[in-house]
Amino acid sequence: MADWLLAIILGLVEGLTEFIPVSSTGHLLLLGHFLGFESTGKTFEIVIQLGALLAIISVYFKRLWTLATRWPFDAEARRFLIGLLVAFAPAVVIGVFAYDFIKLVLFETPVVICVALIIGGILLLMLDRMKKVPVYLEADRYPMRIYLLIGLFQCLAMIPGVSRSGATIAGGLLLGTDKRSAAEFSFFLALPTMGAAVAYDLLQNWERLDFSDAGLIAIGFVTAFLTALAVVKLLLDFVSRHGFAPFAWWRIVVGVVGLVLLGLGVGA
């Protein structure tokens, strides 16, 4: 397969899966395993995530600008920023201390990814069918306790295949949020979480980074940005109408197919 085509495929996968509850990391790692792709120091995989992050900033720029400029004298804006930091804090602590285990063990074990995809899909199906009247309908008005607990749920996504957005959304639903606000809050929480994760990855791999394939990285980055932009704009309405069942079934199918291919020795 031509390198440029592979870059487009991986960019599409990153953009399409980063903000839906199917685990972009799990998909990228499995694809890389089966296609035999791995860039030096994972430069490609790290940088294209910034494309997806830029999509969130583009869609929510007005609200983000308002938060950035009004928080010193607007109590509601300040409270939401504090809530984001509270939700983000557990990932910082656990991510730093467990970084080596996550990257060197979990990320290198495709079976773990497949099993996590299947289990996560089953749990998401159960949550989607749960008859529970939501209590919290606006992402910027959750109680601080809810922000902290959602942040703890997010830490489950350090297991590849769990899904960062899936963990935060599932946590929100269990804690009484509605589907739309849970998905929206996962977008906002992605900004500090993904930003810090990419920065930390770059720092840890600085000596191994290789930008010699800058053209391929650019293709992947732009592809991830454009596809993530479409996902972010469409996801909230889609979830409001269809729930999370389509994503749950997709996870299960990908996990099962991955286990079958691993059993057949594909990509070994």
Side-chain angles (χ1 to χ4, degrees):
M1 184 181 296
D3 288 345
W4 64 267
L5 181 57
L6 188 56
I8 290 176
I9 291 173
L10 292 173
L12 281 170
V13 170
E14 167 62 25
L16 289 171
T17 61
E18 183 61 58
F19 302 115
I20 62 176
V22 299
S23 180
S24 62
T25 301
H27 279 68
L28 285 175
L29 290 173
L30 286 177
L31 264 181
H33 175 80
F34 292 128
L35 297 178
F37 175 85
E38 182 178 357
S39 62
T40 304
K42 294 193 179 294
T43 307
F44 180 91
E45 295 90 331
I46 293 171
V47 174
I48 65 171
Q49 292 181 66
L50 295 175
L53 196 61
L54 183 60
I56 284 284
I57 296 172
S58 300
V59 172
Y60 287 99
F61 180 79
K62 186 176 180 179
R63 288 180 66 178
L64 291 170
W65 180 255
T66 299
L67 284 173
T69 56
R70 294 185 62 84
W71 72 266
F73 49 88
D74 186 321
E76 288 191 6
R78 188 163 56 249
R79 183 184 179 282
F80 185 46
L81 283 176
I82 293 172
L84 279 173
L85 292 175
V86 167
F88 169 55
V92 175
V93 176
I94 296 176
V96 170
F97 284 102
Y99 182 85
D100 288 341
F101 177 73
I102 294 167
K103 291 293 184 179
L104 300 178
V105 178
L106 296 181
F107 274 46
E108 301 298 330
T109 313
V111 172
V112 169
I113 300 170
C114 293
V115 171
L117 284 169
I118 295 170
I119 293 174
I122 294 171
L123 292 176
L124 202 57
L125 275 177
M126 294 170 62
L127 283 171
D128 198 53
R129 296 172 181 177
M130 181 175 63
K131 301 300 181 183
K132 188 173 183 179
V133 179
V135 179
Y136 310 111
L137 307 180
E138 297 183 55
D140 55 356
R141 296 189 177 182
Y142 292 166
M144 285 297 162
R145 174 181 64 88
I146 300 300
Y147 287 128
L148 176 60
L149 292 174
I150 290 177
L152 291 172
F153 271 100
Q154 179 179 240
C155 293
L156 295 173
M158 292 179 187
I159 302 171
V162 169
S163 167
R164 188 204 58 78
S165 61
T168 56
I169 290 169
L173 294 179
L174 285 172
L175 295 167
T177 71
D178 72 315
K179 294 174 183 177
R180 186 182 183 91
S181 72
E184 186 175 53
F185 184 66
S186 77
F187 291 161
F188 281 103
L189 189 53
L191 290 172
T193 303
M194 288 179 61
V198 170
Y200 196 68
D201 269 341
L202 289 172
L203 180 64
Q204 293 294 311
N205 292 282
W206 187 254
E207 295 181 354
R208 299 178 58 226
L209 292 178
D210 181 7
F211 290 93
S212 59
D213 290 327
L216 293 178
I217 293 173
I219 291 173
F221 179 94
V222 172
T223 305
F225 167 70
L226 293 175
T227 50
L229 193 63
V231 168
V232 172
K233 287 184 175 181
L234 299 174
L235 182 63
L236 296 184
D237 288 337
F238 181 89
V239 166
S240 297
R241 292 195 306 269
H242 304 288
F244 297 108
F247 306 122
W249 284 114
W250 175 260
R251 291 177 62 101
I252 293 169
V253 169
V254 171
V256 170
V257 170
L259 287 177
V260 170
L261 293 176
L262 289 172
L264 296 174
V266 177

